[in-house]
mmCIF file of all heavy atoms in Angstrom:
data_model
loop_
_atom_site.group_PDB
_atom_site.id
_atom_site.type_symbol
_atom_site.label_atom_id
_atom_site.label_comp_id
_atom_site.label_asym_id
_atom_site.label_seq_id
_atom_site.Cartn_x
_atom_site.Cartn_y
_atom_site.Cartn_z
ATOM 1 N N GLN A 1161 -89.652 59.396 79.307
ATOM 2 C CA GLN A 1161 -88.838 58.766 80.341
ATOM 3 C C GLN A 1161 -89.177 57.286 80.486
ATOM 4 O O GLN A 1161 -88.286 56.455 80.704
ATOM 5 C CB GLN A 1161 -89.028 59.483 81.676
ATOM 6 C CG GLN A 1161 -88.091 58.991 82.774
ATOM 7 C CD GLN A 1161 -86.629 59.156 82.406
ATOM 8 O OE1 GLN A 1161 -86.061 60.217 82.548
ATOM 9 N NE2 GLN A 1161 -86.002 58.092 81.913
ATOM 10 N N LEU A 1162 -90.443 56.935 80.331
ATOM 11 C CA LEU A 1162 -90.825 55.526 80.354
ATOM 12 C C LEU A 1162 -90.140 54.755 79.233
ATOM 13 O O LEU A 1162 -89.612 53.656 79.443
ATOM 14 C CB LEU A 1162 -92.335 55.383 80.213
ATOM 15 C CG LEU A 1162 -93.199 55.466 81.470
ATOM 16 C CD1 LEU A 1162 -94.665 55.266 81.105
ATOM 17 C CD2 LEU A 1162 -92.783 54.440 82.505
ATOM 18 N N LEU A 1163 -90.131 55.330 78.038
ATOM 19 C CA LEU A 1163 -89.499 54.671 76.899
ATOM 20 C C LEU A 1163 -88.001 54.499 77.124
ATOM 21 O O LEU A 1163 -87.430 53.454 76.808
ATOM 22 C CB LEU A 1163 -89.754 55.476 75.618
ATOM 23 C CG LEU A 1163 -91.168 55.386 75.043
ATOM 24 C CD1 LEU A 1163 -91.370 56.429 73.954
ATOM 25 C CD2 LEU A 1163 -91.449 53.994 74.488
ATOM 26 N N ILE A 1164 -87.367 55.512 77.690
ATOM 27 C CA ILE A 1164 -85.930 55.429 77.967
ATOM 28 C C ILE A 1164 -85.650 54.313 78.963
ATOM 29 O O ILE A 1164 -84.732 53.504 78.780
ATOM 30 C CB ILE A 1164 -85.401 56.773 78.505
ATOM 31 C CG1 ILE A 1164 -85.472 57.849 77.405
ATOM 32 C CG2 ILE A 1164 -83.961 56.632 79.000
ATOM 33 C CD1 ILE A 1164 -85.234 59.250 77.910
ATOM 34 N N ARG A 1165 -86.453 54.243 80.018
ATOM 35 C CA ARG A 1165 -86.256 53.206 81.024
ATOM 36 C C ARG A 1165 -86.522 51.811 80.467
ATOM 37 O O ARG A 1165 -86.042 50.818 80.992
ATOM 38 C CB ARG A 1165 -87.163 53.457 82.233
ATOM 39 C CG ARG A 1165 -86.696 54.588 83.130
ATOM 40 C CD ARG A 1165 -85.329 54.289 83.763
ATOM 41 N NE ARG A 1165 -85.306 53.009 84.448
ATOM 42 C CZ ARG A 1165 -85.663 52.837 85.708
ATOM 43 N NH1 ARG A 1165 -86.066 53.862 86.427
ATOM 44 N NH2 ARG A 1165 -85.617 51.631 86.261
ATOM 45 N N CYS A 1166 -87.299 51.758 79.385
ATOM 46 C CA CYS A 1166 -87.588 50.478 78.735
ATOM 47 C C CYS A 1166 -86.602 50.186 77.604
ATOM 48 O O CYS A 1166 -86.871 49.367 76.727
ATOM 49 C CB CYS A 1166 -89.008 50.474 78.188
ATOM 50 S SG CYS A 1166 -90.278 50.506 79.463
ATOM 51 N N ASN A 1167 -85.466 50.915 77.629
ATOM 52 C CA ASN A 1167 -84.408 50.732 76.632
ATOM 53 C C ASN A 1167 -84.864 51.068 75.218
ATOM 54 O O ASN A 1167 -84.381 50.481 74.242
ATOM 55 C CB ASN A 1167 -83.860 49.300 76.679
ATOM 56 C CG ASN A 1167 -83.258 48.953 78.030
ATOM 57 O OD1 ASN A 1167 -82.488 49.735 78.577
ATOM 58 N ND2 ASN A 1167 -83.613 47.802 78.567
ATOM 59 N N SER A 1168 -85.817 51.992 75.112
ATOM 60 C CA SER A 1168 -86.298 52.440 73.800
ATOM 61 C C SER A 1168 -85.898 53.895 73.587
ATOM 62 O O SER A 1168 -86.734 54.762 73.339
ATOM 63 C CB SER A 1168 -87.819 52.279 73.701
ATOM 64 O OG SER A 1168 -88.198 50.937 73.831
ATOM 65 N N TYR A 1169 -84.583 54.136 73.710
ATOM 66 C CA TYR A 1169 -84.071 55.503 73.586
ATOM 67 C C TYR A 1169 -84.427 56.095 72.224
ATOM 68 O O TYR A 1169 -84.804 57.269 72.113
ATOM 69 C CB TYR A 1169 -82.557 55.512 73.787
ATOM 70 C CG TYR A 1169 -81.920 56.886 73.773
ATOM 71 C CD1 TYR A 1169 -81.800 57.621 74.948
ATOM 72 C CD2 TYR A 1169 -81.462 57.452 72.593
ATOM 73 C CE1 TYR A 1169 -81.240 58.891 74.946
ATOM 74 C CE2 TYR A 1169 -80.890 58.717 72.573
ATOM 75 C CZ TYR A 1169 -80.772 59.424 73.746
ATOM 76 O OH TYR A 1169 -80.216 60.683 73.719
ATOM 77 N N ALA A 1170 -84.293 55.285 71.172
ATOM 78 C CA ALA A 1170 -84.584 55.777 69.825
ATOM 79 C C ALA A 1170 -86.041 56.204 69.701
ATOM 80 O O ALA A 1170 -86.348 57.228 69.078
ATOM 81 C CB ALA A 1170 -84.256 54.697 68.796
ATOM 82 N N ASP A 1171 -86.946 55.432 70.300
ATOM 83 C CA ASP A 1171 -88.373 55.781 70.242
ATOM 84 C C ASP A 1171 -88.657 57.059 71.024
ATOM 85 O O ASP A 1171 -89.493 57.871 70.612
ATOM 86 C CB ASP A 1171 -89.218 54.635 70.798
ATOM 87 C CG ASP A 1171 -89.134 53.377 69.950
ATOM 88 O OD1 ASP A 1171 -88.898 53.512 68.732
ATOM 89 O OD2 ASP A 1171 -89.291 52.280 70.497
ATOM 90 N N ALA A 1172 -87.959 57.236 72.139
ATOM 91 C CA ALA A 1172 -88.124 58.463 72.917
ATOM 92 C C ALA A 1172 -87.640 59.669 72.121
ATOM 93 O O ALA A 1172 -88.233 60.750 72.172
ATOM 94 C CB ALA A 1172 -87.361 58.361 74.235
ATOM 95 N N THR A 1173 -86.562 59.484 71.367
ATOM 96 C CA THR A 1173 -86.033 60.567 70.532
ATOM 97 C C THR A 1173 -87.031 60.948 69.445
ATOM 98 O O THR A 1173 -87.234 62.131 69.155
ATOM 99 C CB THR A 1173 -84.695 60.145 69.885
ATOM 100 O OG1 THR A 1173 -83.775 59.781 70.925
ATOM 101 C CG2 THR A 1173 -84.096 61.274 69.074
ATOM 102 N N VAL A 1174 -87.663 59.948 68.846
ATOM 103 C CA VAL A 1174 -88.682 60.210 67.824
ATOM 104 C C VAL A 1174 -89.859 60.965 68.433
ATOM 105 O O VAL A 1174 -90.387 61.913 67.840
ATOM 106 C CB VAL A 1174 -89.171 58.888 67.186
ATOM 107 C CG1 VAL A 1174 -90.383 59.133 66.293
ATOM 108 C CG2 VAL A 1174 -88.050 58.239 66.394
ATOM 109 N N LEU A 1175 -90.255 60.561 69.633
ATOM 110 C CA LEU A 1175 -91.351 61.235 70.328
ATOM 111 C C LEU A 1175 -91.025 62.705 70.560
ATOM 112 O O LEU A 1175 -91.883 63.574 70.459
ATOM 113 C CB LEU A 1175 -91.623 60.534 71.666
ATOM 114 C CG LEU A 1175 -92.801 61.029 72.499
ATOM 115 C CD1 LEU A 1175 -94.124 60.670 71.826
ATOM 116 C CD2 LEU A 1175 -92.762 60.450 73.897
ATOM 117 N N PHE A 1176 -89.738 62.962 70.851
ATOM 118 C CA PHE A 1176 -89.314 64.323 71.162
ATOM 119 C C PHE A 1176 -88.711 65.029 69.952
ATOM 120 O O PHE A 1176 -87.738 65.767 70.078
ATOM 121 C CB PHE A 1176 -88.314 64.309 72.327
ATOM 122 C CG PHE A 1176 -88.960 64.636 73.648
ATOM 123 C CD1 PHE A 1176 -89.806 63.727 74.239
ATOM 124 C CD2 PHE A 1176 -88.771 65.857 74.254
ATOM 125 C CE1 PHE A 1176 -90.427 64.006 75.436
ATOM 126 C CE2 PHE A 1176 -89.390 66.161 75.453
ATOM 127 C CZ PHE A 1176 -90.224 65.227 76.039
ATOM 128 N N ASN A 1177 -89.294 64.816 68.791
ATOM 129 C CA ASN A 1177 -88.940 65.588 67.607
ATOM 130 C C ASN A 1177 -89.522 66.992 67.772
ATOM 131 O O ASN A 1177 -90.695 67.155 68.086
ATOM 132 C CB ASN A 1177 -89.529 64.904 66.363
ATOM 133 C CG ASN A 1177 -89.075 65.554 65.081
ATOM 134 O OD1 ASN A 1177 -89.060 66.778 64.959
ATOM 135 N ND2 ASN A 1177 -88.707 64.734 64.115
ATOM 136 N N SER A 1178 -88.691 67.994 67.543
ATOM 137 C CA SER A 1178 -89.143 69.373 67.777
ATOM 138 C C SER A 1178 -90.335 69.747 66.915
ATOM 139 O O SER A 1178 -91.129 70.627 67.276
ATOM 140 C CB SER A 1178 -87.993 70.354 67.527
ATOM 141 O OG SER A 1178 -87.554 70.294 66.185
ATOM 142 N N GLU A 1179 -90.496 69.079 65.779
ATOM 143 C CA GLU A 1179 -91.621 69.396 64.902
ATOM 144 C C GLU A 1179 -92.945 68.919 65.496
ATOM 145 O O GLU A 1179 -94.013 69.283 65.002
ATOM 146 C CB GLU A 1179 -91.398 68.758 63.527
ATOM 147 C CG GLU A 1179 -90.192 69.337 62.775
ATOM 148 C CD GLU A 1179 -90.008 68.710 61.410
ATOM 149 O OE1 GLU A 1179 -90.818 67.824 61.048
ATOM 150 O OE2 GLU A 1179 -89.063 69.107 60.705
ATOM 151 N N ASN A 1180 -92.868 68.092 66.531
ATOM 152 C CA ASN A 1180 -94.088 67.609 67.176
ATOM 153 C C ASN A 1180 -94.657 68.593 68.193
ATOM 154 O O ASN A 1180 -95.733 68.356 68.735
ATOM 155 C CB ASN A 1180 -93.803 66.281 67.891
ATOM 156 C CG ASN A 1180 -93.502 65.151 66.926
ATOM 157 O OD1 ASN A 1180 -93.903 65.207 65.772
ATOM 158 N ND2 ASN A 1180 -92.786 64.144 67.391
ATOM 159 N N PHE A 1181 -93.929 69.673 68.471
ATOM 160 C CA PHE A 1181 -94.330 70.615 69.505
ATOM 161 C C PHE A 1181 -94.707 71.968 68.908
ATOM 162 O O PHE A 1181 -94.130 72.404 67.917
ATOM 163 C CB PHE A 1181 -93.190 70.827 70.506
ATOM 164 C CG PHE A 1181 -92.851 69.620 71.328
ATOM 165 C CD1 PHE A 1181 -91.953 68.670 70.863
ATOM 166 C CD2 PHE A 1181 -93.440 69.426 72.564
ATOM 167 C CE1 PHE A 1181 -91.639 67.558 71.615
ATOM 168 C CE2 PHE A 1181 -93.134 68.309 73.327
ATOM 169 C CZ PHE A 1181 -92.237 67.374 72.856
ATOM 170 N N THR A 1182 -95.658 72.628 69.546
ATOM 171 C CA THR A 1182 -95.956 74.010 69.190
ATOM 172 C C THR A 1182 -94.900 74.915 69.826
ATOM 173 O O THR A 1182 -94.141 74.491 70.706
ATOM 174 C CB THR A 1182 -97.342 74.423 69.705
ATOM 175 O OG1 THR A 1182 -97.317 74.437 71.150
ATOM 176 C CG2 THR A 1182 -98.422 73.461 69.236
ATOM 177 N N GLY A 1183 -94.876 76.161 69.396
ATOM 178 C CA GLY A 1183 -93.920 77.107 69.960
ATOM 179 C C GLY A 1183 -94.097 77.289 71.448
ATOM 180 O O GLY A 1183 -93.124 77.324 72.212
ATOM 181 N N LEU A 1184 -95.344 77.387 71.890
ATOM 182 C CA LEU A 1184 -95.624 77.554 73.317
ATOM 183 C C LEU A 1184 -95.157 76.339 74.112
ATOM 184 O O LEU A 1184 -94.565 76.477 75.192
ATOM 185 C CB LEU A 1184 -97.126 77.783 73.534
ATOM 186 C CG LEU A 1184 -97.605 77.896 74.986
ATOM 187 C CD1 LEU A 1184 -96.876 79.024 75.708
ATOM 188 C CD2 LEU A 1184 -99.124 78.114 75.028
ATOM 189 N N GLU A 1185 -95.394 75.154 73.582
ATOM 190 C CA GLU A 1185 -94.966 73.932 74.268
ATOM 191 C C GLU A 1185 -93.448 73.867 74.385
ATOM 192 O O GLU A 1185 -92.908 73.460 75.426
ATOM 193 C CB GLU A 1185 -95.497 72.704 73.523
ATOM 194 C CG GLU A 1185 -97.004 72.542 73.655
ATOM 195 C CD GLU A 1185 -97.600 71.593 72.640
ATOM 196 O OE1 GLU A 1185 -96.833 71.021 71.829
ATOM 197 O OE2 GLU A 1185 -98.830 71.433 72.635
ATOM 198 N N MET A 1186 -92.756 74.283 73.331
ATOM 199 C CA MET A 1186 -91.299 74.267 73.373
ATOM 200 C C MET A 1186 -90.769 75.249 74.408
ATOM 201 O O MET A 1186 -89.792 74.965 75.111
ATOM 202 C CB MET A 1186 -90.728 74.606 71.998
ATOM 203 C CG MET A 1186 -90.804 73.489 70.980
ATOM 204 S SD MET A 1186 -90.024 71.941 71.506
ATOM 205 C CE MET A 1186 -88.434 72.507 72.036
ATOM 206 N N GLU A 1187 -91.405 76.385 74.524
ATOM 207 C CA GLU A 1187 -90.987 77.372 75.522
ATOM 208 C C GLU A 1187 -91.144 76.820 76.940
ATOM 209 O O GLU A 1187 -90.352 77.122 77.829
ATOM 210 C CB GLU A 1187 -91.819 78.646 75.366
ATOM 211 C CG GLU A 1187 -91.528 79.435 74.089
ATOM 212 C CD GLU A 1187 -92.474 80.608 73.927
ATOM 213 O OE1 GLU A 1187 -93.220 80.901 74.891
ATOM 214 O OE2 GLU A 1187 -92.478 81.238 72.851
ATOM 215 N N LEU A 1188 -92.166 76.002 77.141
ATOM 216 C CA LEU A 1188 -92.450 75.460 78.470
ATOM 217 C C LEU A 1188 -91.643 74.201 78.790
ATOM 218 O O LEU A 1188 -91.552 73.807 79.957
ATOM 219 C CB LEU A 1188 -93.942 75.128 78.578
ATOM 220 C CG LEU A 1188 -94.910 76.311 78.515
ATOM 221 C CD1 LEU A 1188 -96.348 75.801 78.388
ATOM 222 C CD2 LEU A 1188 -94.770 77.181 79.748
ATOM 223 N N LEU A 1189 -91.056 73.590 77.784
ATOM 224 C CA LEU A 1189 -90.414 72.288 77.954
ATOM 225 C C LEU A 1189 -89.312 72.272 79.017
ATOM 226 O O LEU A 1189 -89.353 71.444 79.939
ATOM 227 C CB LEU A 1189 -89.876 71.802 76.601
ATOM 228 C CG LEU A 1189 -89.269 70.406 76.559
ATOM 229 C CD1 LEU A 1189 -90.246 69.359 77.066
ATOM 230 C CD2 LEU A 1189 -88.838 70.067 75.125
ATOM 231 N N PRO A 1190 -88.293 73.183 78.954
ATOM 232 C CA PRO A 1190 -87.242 73.134 79.979
ATOM 233 C C PRO A 1190 -87.781 73.379 81.389
ATOM 234 O O PRO A 1190 -87.356 72.740 82.351
ATOM 235 C CB PRO A 1190 -86.287 74.255 79.541
ATOM 236 C CG PRO A 1190 -86.563 74.468 78.094
ATOM 237 C CD PRO A 1190 -88.022 74.213 77.931
ATOM 238 N N GLU A 1191 -88.725 74.303 81.501
ATOM 239 C CA GLU A 1191 -89.300 74.621 82.812
ATOM 240 C C GLU A 1191 -90.040 73.422 83.399
ATOM 241 O O GLU A 1191 -89.876 73.087 84.573
ATOM 242 C CB GLU A 1191 -90.259 75.803 82.681
ATOM 243 C CG GLU A 1191 -90.966 76.177 83.976
ATOM 244 C CD GLU A 1191 -92.015 77.254 83.783
ATOM 245 O OE1 GLU A 1191 -92.035 77.903 82.708
ATOM 246 O OE2 GLU A 1191 -92.840 77.426 84.703
ATOM 247 N N GLU A 1192 -90.845 72.767 82.567
ATOM 248 C CA GLU A 1192 -91.624 71.625 83.060
ATOM 249 C C GLU A 1192 -90.731 70.436 83.392
ATOM 250 O O GLU A 1192 -91.023 69.680 84.331
ATOM 251 C CB GLU A 1192 -92.697 71.228 82.043
ATOM 252 C CG GLU A 1192 -93.851 72.201 81.969
ATOM 253 C CD GLU A 1192 -94.486 72.439 83.328
ATOM 254 O OE1 GLU A 1192 -94.756 71.461 84.050
ATOM 255 O OE2 GLU A 1192 -94.705 73.608 83.689
ATOM 256 N N LEU A 1193 -89.642 70.271 82.646
ATOM 257 C CA LEU A 1193 -88.701 69.209 83.001
ATOM 258 C C LEU A 1193 -88.123 69.462 84.384
ATOM 259 O O LEU A 1193 -88.012 68.548 85.212
ATOM 260 C CB LEU A 1193 -87.573 69.120 81.969
ATOM 261 C CG LEU A 1193 -86.470 68.095 82.291
ATOM 262 C CD1 LEU A 1193 -87.044 66.693 82.416
ATOM 263 C CD2 LEU A 1193 -85.371 68.136 81.230
ATOM 264 N N GLY A 1194 -87.778 70.713 84.657
ATOM 265 C CA GLY A 1194 -87.276 71.071 85.976
ATOM 266 C C GLY A 1194 -88.302 70.823 87.066
ATOM 267 O O GLY A 1194 -87.978 70.325 88.149
ATOM 268 N N ASN A 1195 -89.563 71.144 86.765
ATOM 269 C CA ASN A 1195 -90.632 70.947 87.741
ATOM 270 C C ASN A 1195 -90.871 69.466 88.044
ATOM 271 O O ASN A 1195 -91.217 69.093 89.168
ATOM 272 C CB ASN A 1195 -91.941 71.568 87.228
ATOM 273 C CG ASN A 1195 -91.883 73.085 87.164
ATOM 274 O OD1 ASN A 1195 -91.067 73.712 87.838
ATOM 275 N ND2 ASN A 1195 -92.737 73.682 86.344
ATOM 276 N N MET A 1196 -90.671 68.624 87.031
ATOM 277 C CA MET A 1196 -90.983 67.205 87.179
ATOM 278 C C MET A 1196 -89.795 66.373 87.661
ATOM 279 O O MET A 1196 -89.983 65.234 88.090
ATOM 280 C CB MET A 1196 -91.461 66.639 85.833
ATOM 281 C CG MET A 1196 -92.806 67.164 85.376
ATOM 282 S SD MET A 1196 -93.294 66.445 83.776
ATOM 283 C CE MET A 1196 -93.524 64.706 84.210
ATOM 284 N N LYS A 1197 -88.605 66.927 87.587
ATOM 285 C CA LYS A 1197 -87.412 66.119 87.847
ATOM 286 C C LYS A 1197 -87.420 65.522 89.258
ATOM 287 O O LYS A 1197 -87.040 64.364 89.462
ATOM 288 C CB LYS A 1197 -86.154 66.952 87.614
ATOM 289 C CG LYS A 1197 -84.887 66.104 87.585
ATOM 290 C CD LYS A 1197 -83.658 66.952 87.228
ATOM 291 C CE LYS A 1197 -83.697 67.415 85.794
ATOM 292 N NZ LYS A 1197 -82.435 68.106 85.407
ATOM 293 N N GLY A 1198 -87.860 66.293 90.237
ATOM 294 C CA GLY A 1198 -87.877 65.803 91.607
ATOM 295 C C GLY A 1198 -88.758 64.567 91.757
ATOM 296 O O GLY A 1198 -88.364 63.576 92.371
ATOM 297 N N ALA A 1199 -89.961 64.633 91.175
ATOM 298 C CA ALA A 1199 -90.877 63.495 91.261
ATOM 299 C C ALA A 1199 -90.347 62.290 90.500
ATOM 300 O O ALA A 1199 -90.481 61.145 90.951
ATOM 301 C CB ALA A 1199 -92.254 63.895 90.722
#
Side-chain angles (χ1 to χ4, degrees):
Q1161 187 59 82
L1162 274 181
L1163 286 169
I1164 293 169
R1165 285 297 307 273
C1166 293
N1167 299 313
S1168 298
Y1169 184 89
D1171 295 332
T1173 303
V1174 171
L1175 184 70
F1176 261 71
N1177 187 315
S1178 62
E1179 295 181 0
N1180 292 337
F1181 293 87
T1182 66
L1184 177 57
E1185 290 164 2
M1186 284 304 309
E1187 291 174 10
L1188 294 170
L1189 185 56
E1191 177 186 347
E1192 287 306 313
L1193 176 59
N1195 292 339
M1196 292 180 66
K1197 192 175 291 186

